[in-house]
Amino acid sequence: MLNTLKLLLILSLFLSSPSNAAETAVTGRILTENGPLAGGGVFAYRNYADIQTGIPVTASERVDNSGRYTMRLPQGEYYLVARGKKDGKVFFAYHGNNPIRVEGDDVWVTLLASEVRPPLQGKGTAALKGVVTYKGKPVNGSYVVLYKPEAKRFKGLGLRTESTGEDGTFDIPVSSGSFVVIAKKIESGKGNRPLKKGDLYCYYPGNPVEVGPDSTTSIEVPCYPKNDRASYNDAPPIKSDEFKTLSMLAAGAVAGIRGRITDAEGKPVAGMLVLAYRAVKPVFLTYHLSHGTEYSAETNADGTYFIPIDASGDYYLVARDTLGDGPHTGELYGLYNGNSRHAVSYQNGKPLDNVNITVGRIMAEPKMGLQPAHVENEISAARQIARPEKEATVVSDGVIITDTEWKGRIVIKGVVVVKKGVTLTIRPGTTVGFARIDRDNNGVGDGELRIEGRIVARGTQEQRIVFTSAEQKPETRDWSYIHLLASQENSLFEYCRFEYGFSGIQVHYSSVRITDCLFTNNFEGLHFNTANVVADHNTFSNNGTAIRFKRLEGKVTISNNDIHGNEIGVLFGRQQINAVDFKNLNKPVEFPLFENNNFHDNEKYNFSMGEGQNLDISVIDNWWGAKTASKIEESIFDKSSDASLGRIIFTPYLSSPAQESGLREKGAPDIKTVMVGK
């Protein structure tokens, strides 16, 4: 933060600066919690870095005894800050709407200033500690966000986001470096949504904060109420009607994305958070939504929302009722389904309407009375897509919006999405082939069947359903996966074959039953995180990794499977992304149950703790291809091989192979145990 000498130098500069011709008048007040900051000044900067190191574009006249200031600015974006002294103390204000766009209307901008208190340094592991306060009292239930100083806007989830304790304190381990520290308190508890009247915005006046490699830095982050100056202090109002406030200008904004959020039955959903993420890749992947975004809104009572947008481009749209980490069990969640990319193209200055999203409950319990064997009858009247037996039906990028049946030969070119509220049924004997198209040049075919509604793929012993490559010379990774993403209940796969994909099936925030299926020649067979999964009597062979998972939330049962001839049988990795509260990273909710499986003859390991996973996991009552514990230990990778990892607890174990494990099919073909990549 600027020292007192530098402050006086800048004050002398702005007092002597001549006014220049400008188009917009910016006026308002500088207030502390105890009244006006008389004698201070407001400074306008082109970028954040200039606040610390540069000279302002312009500065206001010295504020009068009421705290009022005036300045004129050409149209454009500016960072507005206020500085001044009162009772021998230095005060600083940073406006939470920065950078503020100055256009044609004269605008009234109030800046609420806090005392500058320098950080306290202590010895220890690099960390940023402190307390969030409002009028000197700790703020419970706020969250603290760290940004890099070079960020243009300090909005969204930032580099790190941590909730404060009941006493308003926070303790964030960080690497050494420079950070901008901002905190917020959302009265509704809705997380990182746009602030409303009464919410608290908190900016550390000494930003950016330096954290050394062997020191802890402690700070106090003061808050002020959004659009509620009257509750901050009792200074009499002086604003006239000729000036509009920033909130008044925002309320009249028309440039942005507007739409409605409903459930699968078409009923409006209030209180949903709608977020727009800049789309930077030609292919949508779920991790594109793992970072923060400054563009968001909350739905009204009729389910409508409006997100002001100030930059042209493509935006992914997602609606959810809680922000932070990936969605959890019971939350409402939905992606825009106007196309398979979940994205809209926005042109700055032009409103984009009718961007509607359907949401549903994450990992909802199966409907009472609806058993898997009866699902196919429920949709017998669905629209059928099929052609003569030798002619393939080609399905390109798009969204399936009505109940649909596939049979015969289907070729998918691109990404096909099953919309929430819609069921796709695949009949026995159907072959679904994916053309190899690699738009993002990542070495993996983009072909994907994304299920946000429901899929029922029920083959038979005699007529399996096959998901495969459509290429004449198929190879592993020719297509991406069957992806259940926040899908509805009662999805199932029976007597299916998955081959030549990146993953046969990926399951995120969804529920699925997988029985009597064969996974072969895939980079991964089954991949799941935050899911309810029943995988019973399947065979995994000749894959890179048969089963891979990270996050421990949901009811998962892996039983009676035969897992052999893969590079790795099961890989238990560590969760790498947690947008809010990093302390909860890798925190288990419910471990999967592995029982009565046959793990044997996998090239590297039958079971591996990967990617720094330090949790212990119990996988008792399985067969490991050996009779002695020492021999079994040779086929697993855990703490015994790397002290940083957790333990794989496999005793007691079966002394002989589990009977009738794997795919239950008469006359099943032998599967070569040639490893992927050999």
Side-chain angles (χ1 to χ4, degrees):
M1 189 63 195
L2 296 171
N3 57 33
T4 303
L5 181 61
K6 194 170 184 179
L7 170 63
L8 294 174
L9 175 61
I10 288 182
L11 287 174
S12 67
L13 283 172
F14 87 79
L15 288 173
S16 61
S17 297
S19 61
N20 53 38
E23 298 181 8
T24 300
V26 178
T27 191
R29 301 174 80 183
I30 312 174
L31 301 169
T32 71
E33 63 179 86
N34 296 316
L37 186 64
V42 175
F43 304 84
Y45 297 88
R46 283 292 187 188
N47 55 65
Y48 187 76
D50 285 347
I51 299 175
Q52 280 71 46
T53 62
I55 301 301
V57 173
T58 190
S60 71
E61 300 174 357
R62 184 188 295 271
V63 300
D64 61 21
N65 289 334
S66 69
R68 178 166 176 154
Y69 71 90
T70 301
M71 62 172 28
R72 300 192 66 83
L73 290 168
Q75 292 189 9
E77 283 190 345
Y78 300 92
Y79 290 79
L80 297 185
V81 303
R83 297 185 179 91
K85 295 185 68 175
K86 184 175 183 178
D87 300 329
K89 300 175 182 177
V90 177
F91 285 80
F92 178 86
Y94 179 90
H95 202 283
N97 284 59
N98 282 331
I100 293 169
R101 185 160 190 83
V102 175
E103 296 180 312
D105 293 320
D106 292 344
V107 62
W108 181 276
V109 181
T110 299
L111 291 108
L112 303 180
S114 300
E115 182 185 349
V116 178
R117 293 187 173 96
L120 300 177
Q121 304 293 340
K123 294 183 179 181
T125 305
L128 190 58
K129 301 181 179 181
V131 60
V132 178
T133 62
Y134 176 55
K135 292 187 174 183
K137 296 181 180 180
V139 176
N140 176 26
S142 63
Y143 62 95
V144 180
V145 191
L146 306 186
Y147 301 90
K148 295 300 290 182
E150 55 267 26
K152 183 179 180 181
R153 290 177 170 86
F154 305 120
K155 298 178 181 179
L157 295 175
L159 291 172
R160 293 286 299 268
T161 302
E162 294 283 355
S163 300
T164 60
E166 293 184 0
D167 57 357
T169 61
F170 59 91
D171 184 351
I172 308 175
V174 295
S175 301
S176 59
S178 183
F179 303 94
V180 173
V181 184
I182 291 174
K184 298 178 183 179
K185 170 63 182 289
I186 309 295
E187 288 298 328
S188 68
K190 282 291 185 180
N192 193 27
R193 64 148 169 78
L195 297 180
K196 295 183 176 181
K197 184 176 181 179
D199 294 335
L200 297 180
Y201 179 83
C202 323
Y203 180 93
Y204 175 58
N207 277 326
V209 183
E210 293 290 337
V211 179
D214 299 310
S215 65
T216 60
T217 301
S218 299
I219 59 176
E220 179 180 339
V221 185
C223 303
Y224 65 80
K226 175 77 172 181
N227 298 334
D228 191 15
R229 196 275 298 167
S231 67
Y232 188 65
N233 63 36
D234 56 4
I238 62 173
K239 186 184 84 70
S240 64
D241 293 336
E242 61 185 296
F243 289 97
K244 294 182 178 180
T245 64
L246 292 175
S247 60
M248 292 168 64
L249 292 175
V254 296
I257 300 173
R258 191 185 311 272
R260 194 164 184 253
I261 309 301
T262 59
D263 61 19
E265 298 177 351
K267 298 177 181 178
V269 184
M272 293 294 296
L273 301 163
V274 188
L275 301 99
Y277 293 83
R278 290 297 298 266
V280 295
K281 297 288 185 180
V283 178
F284 170 82
L285 297 172
T286 52
Y287 79 81
H288 293 154
L289 307 181
S290 63
H291 59 278
T293 177
E294 63 192 270
Y295 302 115
S296 59
E298 187 173 357
T299 59
N300 298 323
D302 60 356
T304 60
Y305 72 90
F306 173 68
I307 305 175
I309 304 285
D310 58 3
S312 298
D314 290 352
Y315 291 84
Y316 302 125
L317 271 297
V318 59
R320 52 187 306 189
D321 64 353
T322 303
L323 281 190
D325 202 357
H328 296 279
T329 303
E331 293 181 17
L332 286 173
Y333 186 90
L335 293 162
Y336 171 65
N337 276 156
N339 53 60
S340 59
R341 290 188 68 215
H342 306 299
V344 296
S345 294
Y346 173 77
Q347 186 174 348
N348 193 24
K350 295 186 178 180
L352 187 60
D353 296 326
N354 298 316
V355 182
N356 303 323
I357 301 174
T358 302
V359 298
R361 195 70 63 183
I362 292 294
M363 294 157 63
E365 293 293 329
K367 294 179 179 178
M368 296 298 294
L370 182 60
Q371 301 301 320
H374 301 149
V375 172
E376 63 178 314
N377 295 326
E378 180 192 355
I379 54 170
S380 60
R383 180 169 62 97
Q384 293 189 19
I385 294 183
R387 288 184 178 174
E389 185 176 348
K390 294 184 179 181
E391 185 178 355
T393 298
V394 177
V395 184
S396 299
D397 291 307
V399 180
I400 298 175
I401 61 174
T402 60
D403 287 352
T404 299
E405 292 182 359
W406 284 355
K407 63 181 180 179
R409 293 176 57 226
I410 308 293
V411 174
I412 292 178
K413 292 185 176 181
V415 179
V416 175
V417 177
V418 178
K419 183 180 179 181
K420 197 171 294 293
V422 172
T423 299
L424 171 65
T425 302
I426 304 179
R427 291 302 184 187
T430 300
T431 296
V432 180
F434 294 83
R436 184 178 178 92
I437 302 171
D438 188 5
R439 293 166 176 147
D440 52 2
N441 298 314
N442 65 349
V444 178
D446 301 328
E448 177 185 350
L449 179 57
R450 187 178 304 143
I451 312 300
E452 295 170 30
R454 180 174 59 175
I455 184 170
V456 179
R458 176 181 284 116
T460 66
Q461 288 189 359
E462 295 77 21
Q463 290 185 295
R464 262 192 275 179
I465 296 169
V466 180
F467 298 94
T468 186
S469 168
E471 302 302 305
Q472 289 187 349
K473 295 181 178 180
E475 296 180 358
T476 298
R477 307 192 199 195
D478 270 353
W479 56 285
S480 290
Y481 27 64
I482 312 297
H483 190 185
L484 283 83
L485 176 60
S487 62
Q488 292 175 266
E489 68 279 2
N490 297 322
S491 285
L492 61 91
F493 297 88
E494 293 179 4
Y495 287 103
C496 297
R497 180 184 180 109
F498 303 87
E499 59 186 13
Y500 303 113
F502 179 86
S503 307
I505 301 176
Q506 287 206 6
V507 190
H508 294 90
Y509 324 127
S510 304
S511 301
V512 66
R513 182 180 182 89
I514 307 165
T515 62
D516 295 290
C517 291
L518 171 64
F519 295 81
T520 185
N521 291 308
N522 304 289
F523 178 73
E524 301 172 337
L526 171 63
H527 181 131
F528 62 86
N529 294 303
T530 309
N532 296 327
V533 178
V534 173
D536 183 68
H537 280 290
N538 303 290
T539 295
F540 297 83
S541 183
N542 203 29
N543 303 283
T545 298
I547 299 174
R548 180 175 178 173
F549 65 99
K550 293 182 180 180
R551 295 184 51 166
L552 299 172
E553 180 178 349
K555 297 182 183 299
V556 176
T557 301
I558 310 293
S559 60
N560 304 305
N561 299 284
D562 188 64
I563 302 171
H564 76 278
N566 306 281
E567 189 172 342
I568 295 175
V570 178
L571 178 61
F572 177 23
R574 179 181 175 87
Q575 181 184 344
Q576 302 297 324
I577 296 175
N578 188 3
V580 174
D581 290 337
F582 277 63
K583 295 186 184 72
N584 293 328
L585 192 68
N586 211 43
K587 183 178 180 180
V589 177
E590 187 168 4
F591 281 86
L593 173 65
F594 288 85
E595 65 177 3
N596 213 49
N597 300 288
N598 290 336
F599 298 100
H600 62 103
D601 299 308
N602 293 293
E603 183 178 295
K604 287 186 175 180
Y605 303 107
N606 285 332
F607 207 113
S608 174
M609 307 289 271
E611 300 159 340
Q613 180 57 266
N614 57 10
L615 297 174
D616 296 343
I617 185 170
S618 175
V619 286
I620 64 175
D621 296 328
N622 294 281
W623 185 63
W624 299 90
K627 292 186 177 181
T628 64
S630 60
K631 195 67 177 178
I632 294 173
E633 286 177 349
E634 294 177 5
S635 72
I636 65 176
F637 182 72
D638 67 351
K639 194 177 187 69
S640 62
S641 303
D642 184 336
S644 68
L645 301 176
R647 293 184 304 144
I648 298 171
I649 303 168
F650 60 86
T651 56
Y653 54 87
L654 301 181
S655 58
S656 60
Q659 297 301 306
E660 298 184 359
S661 68
L663 173 64
R664 294 171 292 193
E665 184 173 22
K666 296 179 181 178
D670 292 334
I671 301 171
K672 297 179 181 179
T673 57
V674 178
M675 300 302 103
V676 173
K678 260 196 170 184

